[in-house]
Amino acid sequence: MAEVVSFRKEKEGDAQPLAVTRKDNVLRLTLNNPPANTLSIGVIRLLMEALDAAGADPAVHVVIIASGGNVFSAGHDLKELTAHRMDEDGGRAFFEETFRLFADLMLKIAHLPKPVIAEIDGLATAAGCQLVASCDLAICTDTSTFCTPGVNIGLFCSTPMVAVSRAAHRKQAMEMLLTGETIDASTAKDFGLVNRIVPKQYLTQVVDKYADVIASKSPLTQRIGKEAFCAQIDMPVADAYDHAVRVMTESMMTADAREGIGAFIEKRPAVWTGE
């Protein structure tokens, strides 16, 4: 299928900060807001709209979040936030709206019935690091770097902390949050923030390969699996097994499970119906 390309604008006349492309069953959302790919409230809304559309589109099986330029994302637009200090309430309402909306975006990624892959080339900092940590998979270049630098400007990265502390090990997440220091790609992989590190020239190729492999599976199975994973991860072990048993039993009753098992036994490709 030919690649479908579109751009989303924050408002008419603005630059185009989000490129939306689709090739076959893989949707790519590219932050296109150089030089820092900041996550203004307008960009956050565009991402939410694109993810809503992806979730509702049966032709989309996998979503990739990538960026253009040398920075994946520097996080929230601090100039935009600072400008609202002139508001009557000192900016409180706008600050809460921005952080709440971004938290909703992170929850949308978690609850999206399709896997989401972060493709990182360059710096992912603050809310940009939060975005990476919230995706189901993350693949980065060997020159990528990550940090939660809020403490350096008197603002603890409390909202990034939620995602980072669930992706990285507890003490290593605290190390990032308390020091505000930048870590390299190798350290990010050791911490658990990313799955794979690849040379820059192969990044898109590797991410596309992962996406194509995932997209070739039953979309229904992927949806059930992602929902089950997110549901059980914070449960006590016994409760998690109870939940998994129920999910596994219901999954066995689907047409795709019947087809997949039959295809495996008969040594033929499976034909997914999503039922």
Side-chain angles (χ1 to χ4, degrees):
M1 178 179 180
E3 192 168 31
V4 180
V5 182
S6 65
F7 290 89
R8 303 293 177 88
K9 296 183 180 183
E10 293 190 49
K11 59 184 178 182
E12 201 61 38
D14 283 350
Q16 300 165 335
L18 185 68
V20 181
T21 62
R22 181 167 67 82
K23 186 175 182 181
D24 297 327
N25 300 120
V26 178
L27 185 75
R28 181 182 294 269
L29 307 178
T30 304
L31 298 173
N32 186 41
N33 188 27
N37 288 317
T38 52
L39 297 161
S40 67
I41 197 165
V43 171
I44 297 169
R45 289 190 177 116
L46 291 176
L47 282 167
M48 294 187 77
E49 290 172 7
L51 288 173
D52 281 337
D57 187 349
V60 174
H61 295 183
V62 180
V63 176
I64 297 169
I65 298 180
S67 67
N70 298 318
V71 176
F72 174 76
S73 176
H76 292 299
D77 188 334
L78 295 181
K79 291 182 180 179
E80 178 182 64
L81 291 169
T82 299
H84 281 271
R85 290 195 182 278
M86 301 301 294
D87 295 350
E88 186 176 342
D89 63 354
R92 176 182 291 274
F94 184 78
F95 301 157
E96 183 173 358
E97 180 185 9
T98 298
F99 299 139
R100 178 68 262 171
L101 193 65
F102 199 68
D104 289 343
L105 174 61
M106 300 300 97
L107 291 171
K108 189 175 294 293
I109 290 172
H111 297 147
L112 194 76
K114 292 138 191 220
V116 181
I117 305 174
E119 176 183 304
I120 310 105
D121 180 23
L123 175 66
T125 180
C129 189
Q130 180 183 357
L131 179 57
V132 170
S134 296
C135 290
D136 300 306
L137 299 177
I139 301 171
C140 72
T141 60
D142 48 12
T143 56
S144 293
T145 52
F146 305 81
C147 65
T148 50
V151 291
N152 297 330
I153 58 171
L155 183 69
F156 198 85
C157 280
S158 300
T159 45
M161 169 186 70
V162 176
V164 171
S165 65
R166 282 160 171 75
H169 306 299
R170 178 176 176 175
K171 284 184 170 56
Q172 291 163 329
M174 282 296 285
E175 177 182 331
M176 293 181 66
L177 292 160
L178 292 172
T179 67
E181 292 184 350
T182 302
I183 61 172
D184 60 18
S186 179
T187 304
K189 187 173 184 297
D190 289 341
F191 280 16
L193 283 176
V194 300
N195 297 85
R196 294 283 184 270
I197 304 170
V198 299
K200 182 183 181 77
Q201 63 268 33
Y202 298 121
L203 177 62
T204 298
Q205 178 182 342
V206 171
V207 172
D208 285 347
K209 181 178 178 181
Y210 268 81
D212 289 342
V213 168
I214 294 169
S216 71
K217 317 300 181 185
S218 158
L220 175 64
T221 301
Q222 299 284 27
R223 176 181 64 77
I224 292 171
K226 180 173 175 177
E227 288 177 355
F229 182 90
C230 293
Q232 64 81 35
I233 196 67
D234 292 319
M235 292 180 182
V237 173
D239 293 343
Y241 272 117
D242 286 343
H243 181 72
V245 166
R246 290 192 296 271
V247 172
M248 200 78 169
T249 301
E250 290 302 316
S251 296
M252 281 293 290
M253 303 304 295
T254 66
D256 275 2
R258 188 180 303 111
E259 164 65 10
I261 293 169
F264 176 79
I265 293 171
E266 296 164 16
K267 295 181 171 53
R268 60 173 175 79
V271 178
W272 309 121
T273 63
E275 298 177 352

